[in-house]
Every structure is written in C-alpha cells, then in structure tokens.
Amino acid sequence: MRVKTVIIDKSRKRQLLVPIVAMTLGALVLLVLVVVFLVDRFNDTAIKREQRMVESGFSQQLHQFNDIVVPQVDWDTAVAKIDRKMDLTFADLDFGHQLYTFDGFTHSFFIDGDGRVTYAYVMGNHPPFTSFEPFRPIVLQLLKPIRAAEARRGPIRPHAQGQGPITRPIQANGFVRADGKVYVVMASLVQPDLGMVQPKGPRASVSINAIPIDSTMLSSFAARYLLDDLKLAPAPDLARNRATVPLRTPDGTVVGALSWAPRQPGSVLLHRMVTPLLAAMAMLALVGWTIVRRSAVVVDELLASEMRARHLAYHDPLTMLPNRALLFERLRTMLSTVSSRRPLLALMCIDLDRFKEVNDTLGHQAGDELLKVMSDRLRTLARVEHGAFTARLGGDEFVLVALAADRDAIANLAQRCLGALLTPVDSEFGRLDVGCSIGVAMIDASVREPSLALRQADLALYRAKARGRGCITFYEQEMEAAFQTRRVLETRLRHALDHGAFHMVYQAQVDANGTILAYEALLRWNDPELGAVSPATFIPLAEECGLILGIGEFVLRRVFAETRNWTGVRVAINVSAVQMRAPGFAARMIQIAAAAHINPVQFDIELTETALLTDSPATMENFAALKRLGFAIVLDDFGTGYSSLRLLHRFRVDKIKIDRSFVADLGQSVEAETLVGAIVKLARSFHLGVIAEGVETEDQKDLLIAAGCHEFQGFLMGRPTSPASVNALFAETTGTMLRA
Ligand code: C2E
Ligand code: MG
Ligand code: MG
C-alpha cells in the first residue's frame, strides 16, 4: 500500500512539475528562435538592399560604358569614314586603339548594314574577322533592338546650322562568355550628329565594343560600392553568406554572376549581443531552475499534506485504525472479488461491553486509553491473519475483516478476539475490565455492497449483545426478520407517541402494616396491531431511537394530571438515563410541573444506577435542579449495576430500591439474604430509605423485614392498577390514607 502511494505521488509530482520545466525550456527555446529569426530577417533585408544597389550600380556602369562610345558613333565623320567606306586608319585611331588604350575595351568590331564584319580590333592587333565569332550570338541579339530603333528613327534630315545633335544614341548591351572570360558587349549604331553626312543605306554600320569584367573592373566597382570580396562567379552563388546578382543576355541566358560577401547587420548585432543574450538566457534558466526547485518543495509539501489529509480522512485519529470510509473502500474491492471459491470472507462487528461505564465513571481519558489498547490488540491479532485488517467504526465499535478457509477458522479467530479483549487493561486509571460482544457475518457472493455486509455483522452483534455480555453470534437469516420486527415496533412506537396511545398504571408501595405510602407510575402501551407491549421491551427501544424524551414528557404530563389530587401518598415516576443526560431536562420538567400545579415534594424520581454513572455535566445539573426543587431521588433496580459507593457518596439520593431479582432469590439462597442485608445496611449507613420491589410472597416479605427493610412493592401488595381504581380506593379509605 505504501509503495503504491509513493508511486502515485511521484507521478503526481511529475504531472505538476513537468509543465513548469517545459514552460521554462519553452521560454528559452522561444527566446533563441526569436533571436535567430530577427538576425535572419535583418540579414535578409540587408542582402536584398545590397543586391538592388549592385544591380542598379552595375546598370549605371553599363550606361557609362555606353556613354564613352556615344561621341565616336554619333558623329558625321564616323558615318563618312566607317559607314560609307571603311577607313581603317580612322577606325583604329578613333575606335579600336582609342577605346582600348583609354577605356579598356579589348575588342572593337564593325558590322555593316548586311551584318558582315567590316573591322576587327583585339588588344592592339587586327586579327582575322573570325575573332568576331564568339561574339556573334550576343551581337545578333543586340542588333534586333538596334535595327528596330533605327527603323523607328527613319531617314535623317539635316539640321540648320547651330542646332544640337539630330539623333539620339541607339545602343544596346549584354554579356558574353568568351575565352574563359565574361565580357560586357555594347552595340552602338553609327549615325550622323549634324546630318551633314547621310548613312550609306537604310541600315547603317554598328560599332561593337567589348570590355572584360576583370579584377580591375571588379575592384573599382567594389571600391565604389564598398563591397567585400566581389568576384565573378560562373553562376549565381547560393552560399548562405554570399550575395549574388546574375548577368544575363537579353534572351535570359545567365553567363555569370557577381558574388560578394554582403554586410550582415543581424549577425553583427548578434555578435555584439551574444554576451548579454547568454547572460539573459542563463538568468532565465536560473529563474526557471529556482522556480522548479521551489515548486518541487511546495509540491512535496502539498503532496505530504494531501497524504496527511488523506490519511486523516481514512483513519481514526485516536487509534490510527482505518475508519468507516476506508473500511467501505476496501470492502468494496474485496466484495467485487468474492466468489463461491475460498477463502471465505468474514466480517466481525466487535462492541466493547461496559465501555460506557468506564467512560462515564473514569472519564474520557480512561475511555480513550482503553480504546487504544483494545485497538492495538485487535491490530496485532489481524496482523498474523492473512488478508485480515481491523477498522474502528466509532465509539467502542470495531470491525475485523478476515479471510479464512472455513467457518471454524473464523469462529476460532472470533474466540481469540474475545479472549484478547477480555484481558483487563492496567492503566494509570486503574484496572479496566471490559470484554466484548462479537457479531460475525460470513459474506457470500450475493453480497456486493459493504453496507449490506456490515449490516449482517451488525445484526449478529445486536443479537450477541441481547444474549448478554461476552457472546459471539453468527449472522442468521432470521435476524433480518427480527430486525424488521424491531423496525415495525419502532414505527408503531412513533405512531403511538404521535397519537397518545399510552396510559399509566400505578403500583402501590406499602409499609409492613400494609399502609400505602406511595404509587409507582408505570407506562403501558396497547397497540391496536401489536397488542400490549411491555415497557421492558419498548423503553430500551425508545431510548435507542430517541423517542424516550417525547415519551418521558407524556409520562410527566399524564402522571401530574392524574395524581394531582392524591393526598397523603407519594408518587414515583421512572426517568430514563437518556432523559437525565439531556441538557435542559430538569428545566422542562419543572415547567411541566408548574403547569400542572403539583408539589414536587410529593414525588419520587426513580433513576437506574447507569443514569448516574456519568461525568456528563448535563446529568449533574439536572440532578441538582430536581433535588433543589424538592423531588426525592430513588435509585431503582439497585444491585444490578455497579452499586458503587462512590455513586451514593457523590449523588445525594434519598432512597434505594432493591432489585426484584434479589427479592426473587430470597428464601432460595443464603447469598440473596446476605446481599439484601448488606444493601439495607448500606442504605442505613448513608441514611437512605430502602424499599424492595417484586415482593410476591409472605416469606420474601418476612425475610425483608428480618433484613431491616420495611417498605415493599410487589404483586403481594397489589398489581399495577388504573388511576381510576386508585381514585376509587381513595374514596373508600380517605380517612385511613389521611391518617397514614
Ligand atoms: P421498574 O421501574 O423496576 O418497574 C417495576 C417493574 O416490576 C414493573 O414492570 C412492574 O410491573 C414489575 N413488578 C412489580 N411487582 C412485581 C412483582 O411482584 N413481580 C414481578 N415479576 N414484577 C413486578 P413494568 O411495568 O413492565 O416495567 C418494566 C420497566 O420499564 C420498569 O422497571 C421501568 O424501568 C420501565 N418503565 C416503566 N414505566 C416507565 C416510565 O414511565 N418511564 C420510564 N423511563 N421507564 C419506565
Ligand atoms: Mg421503577
Ligand atoms: Mg425496578
């Protein structure tokens, strides 16, 4: 059980702590992700901006190349010396040589209106025209827009003197890969600037000039735009830390790409922030760790207090035995597995005998001490039995659940319980001697509900107690019927109280001369269905089910009303221990007495010894209040209870009534005479009156007189009679009664 609890708690602890740990880790991961995301976004934005800058910068570079050639091609002289007829010296001087020497164009060609190469210049030489071949594909692409623009421009009309150039430059450029290098190739239409010289045909010559994208060009470009590690790559460079701009021909073919190491402000920022960031993460981790540690402690405390609460909820705090709730829980599990197979499941209800007396006479501490010792004994007994355990239901009631091979084994265990609890307990309060009654139920497979199983054991216990102290009784089916009968009796009793179905009879108490001294009021119940039921049966039942207070009030009212006019005789009223224990009982009685205008001095209150065997403050107060008012107190059934001298000393009773069981034995056994004699002497020494009840024969009366008892009540003197009979007797013998 303990191992199971620990496992449950560990998993509960995990359940509670895992979210906190997960949240802390989550926060850390989120922080990292956010930083990475931001760095990436910063870098990305910066790269895109640099790419746009490089694109527009390079296109400006191309425009600059174009602009270099413009004054050479938009020139009447060029039309005359190139287009109309090829003047090699002019071409070298103003194109090939000049553009190579001053501007770095390594290749210069001319293409005439029919697309034929008319001039070739490559780095200070005149190679064969075949040197144009690598450039032919790109030139063909560039010629298309040039010829289209030329056609749009139309024939040239000369200008008047003094006006600006008559034409706009018609140019196109692109890239080509040749001899392992990438070239910027420009095609520029040769056209007049003032219109003095006209082109030879509808299509003029075109100047082709190429300049390699080499390290010189790249480094000056890089210096202008502050680019790091600018290179010409054969294809777009997709490396993470590189930016790239592809170089395309007009038909979209990529001939190479500019590639450089872009500025990455995000990475720079990250680099700068790495220390504070790590510190923040460490801080976060520390805070998370602290929270987890603290939470672990709090969770431990919570679980511990929950376990304590659970333990308290399932255990009796005095004896630490399982309580009713845990008993029911375990029983439910056991009952769900009970089958016709063995072992048999047995339930024992154990009730301590005389526990109440110990509690009432020696106090609650003694009672607690006794309960603890008894529960230890039961626990020890259960420990050696396989599958057995004990629980405390409350008060002095325990349950022992056991598994056994057969009924005999259970009977044997019950016997051992009886023996264990019978052994007196030596405590600081003296020797406590109680014993117990046991009801046993063998639970068959049809019983599935713990409450039913417990009820069977309880019914058996009820029977065991009814049979006397120290009994073991097994549950029998008929007990259910008896229980039902009791239920019926209880219902009828309730009905009787509601409908005033009771009446009183009165039994005379006389002196040795037969003079009536008093009448004891005795309650009678004639139920229309059950017939006459003895108070010996229904009074204890009324005490158990709480009806006695109502019944007691009925008795008081009725007796006061019926006996108000009786003069010269006392009237004795029986009052139950339960009434005496009820706070405010005396006050209520006084109210009723006042309402009935009776004089308390004429009344005896008959209490049994058990009514006074108590520390209950309410009993003491009730007792004192009744005495104060003048009621006399008679100790009824004296000798059957504790007959404690302490009791007589503590409560100033007025009279004791020798129990009829002793009277019945008078003349039969010497002990009875001795006992009666002792009781009479005891009464005398406490200056108490003494009366004997249940006197049925003259012999008993004589023996009582011999023992010193001179007041009697019993069938010999008269049976209980109706108040009307008593009234009639009064009418007859008024004089005698008054004289007495
Ligand atoms: P108790 O107070 O000891 O009453 C005396 C009982 O002995 C009465 O029984 C009475 O009928 C019976 N008795 C009287 N003389 C003789 C005799 O010579 N021989 C025998 N064998 N019995 C005799 P009852 O009326 O059945 O009452 C039984 C008990 O019920 C009473 O015992 C008392 O404890 C209780 N009781 C009766 N009426 C009341 C009541 O109004 N209130 C309370 N609280 N208890 C009552
Ligand atoms: Mg009585
Ligand atoms: Mg009695």
Side-chain angles (χ1 to χ4, degrees), residues 631-664:
F631 288 105
I633 308 290
V634 178
L635 218 45
D636 202 354
D637 304 341
F638 192 82
T640 52
Y642 256 60
S643 310
S644 130
L645 291 178
R646 201 167 141 252
L647 200 76
L648 292 177
H649 181 68
R650 194 165 172 207
F651 292 95
R652 287 191 301 103
V653 298
D654 300 277
K655 192 192 256 188
I656 52 182
K657 198 183 214 184
I658 303 170
D659 188 67
R660 61 177 175 274
S661 58
F662 302 116
V663 177

Side-chain angles (χ1 to χ4, degrees), residues 40 102 141 183 254 259 275 349 373 498 539 546-547 553 608 617 628 641 687 694 713 726 733:
D40 214 52
F102 296 107
Q141 287 181 43
Y183 291 86
V254 174
S259 157
T275 313
C349 265
V373 175
D498 291 344
I539 293 289
L547 290 173
E553 284 203 9
T608 54
R628 246 193 334 271
H687 307 291
Q713 177 183 352
V726 178
T733 59

Side-chain angles (χ1 to χ4, degrees), residues 25 37 216 245 375 383 387 397 400 412 655:
L25 288 179
F37 175 76
T216 319
V245 168
S375 28
R383 199 168 289 146
E397 230 185 303
L400 197 145
N412 183 281
K655 192 192 256 188

Side-chain angles (χ1 to χ4, degrees), residues 325-458:
L326 186 52
L327 170 72
F328 271 47
E329 202 168 275
R330 288 194 191 170
L331 265 184
R332 188 160 283 120
T333 315
M334 292 175 103
L335 290 173
S336 65
T337 56
V338 168
S339 66
S340 50
R341 284 177 291 121
R342 288 169 192 276
L344 298 171
L345 174 65
L347 216 68
M348 295 183 200
C349 265
I350 303 162
D351 189 273
L352 299 185
D353 298 330
R354 292 189 295 270
F355 170 73
K356 205 178 145 350
E357 289 168 24
V358 170
N359 223 9
D360 288 347
T361 48
L362 301 172
H364 289 291
Q365 271 184 321
D368 287 356
E369 176 74 26
L370 182 65
L371 286 173
K372 278 198 242 176
V373 175
M374 292 309 183
S375 28
D376 282 346
R377 289 179 186 175
L378 288 175
R379 197 186 272 124
T380 312
L381 255 178
R383 199 168 289 146
V384 294
E385 296 290 320
H386 166 70
F389 69 92
T390 317
R392 183 183 172 204
L393 284 187
D396 58 345
E397 230 185 303
F398 297 90
V399 166
L400 197 145
V401 180
L403 296 170
D406 52 32
R407 195 183 159 102
D408 286 350
I410 293 293
N412 183 281
L413 179 61
Q415 201 61 52
R416 276 183 286 143
C417 281
L418 202 70
L421 302 195
L422 209 60
T423 313
V425 176
D426 286 315
S427 76
E428 57 173 300
F429 305 94
R431 173 164 281 218
L432 309 175
D433 193 356
V434 284
C436 68
S437 305
I438 302 179
V440 187
M442 306 297 300
I443 308 302
D444 64 43
S446 68
V447 177
R448 293 275 153 181
E449 270 305 303
S451 54
L452 186 58
L454 196 64
R455 194 178 124 116
Q456 293 187 351
D458 210 34

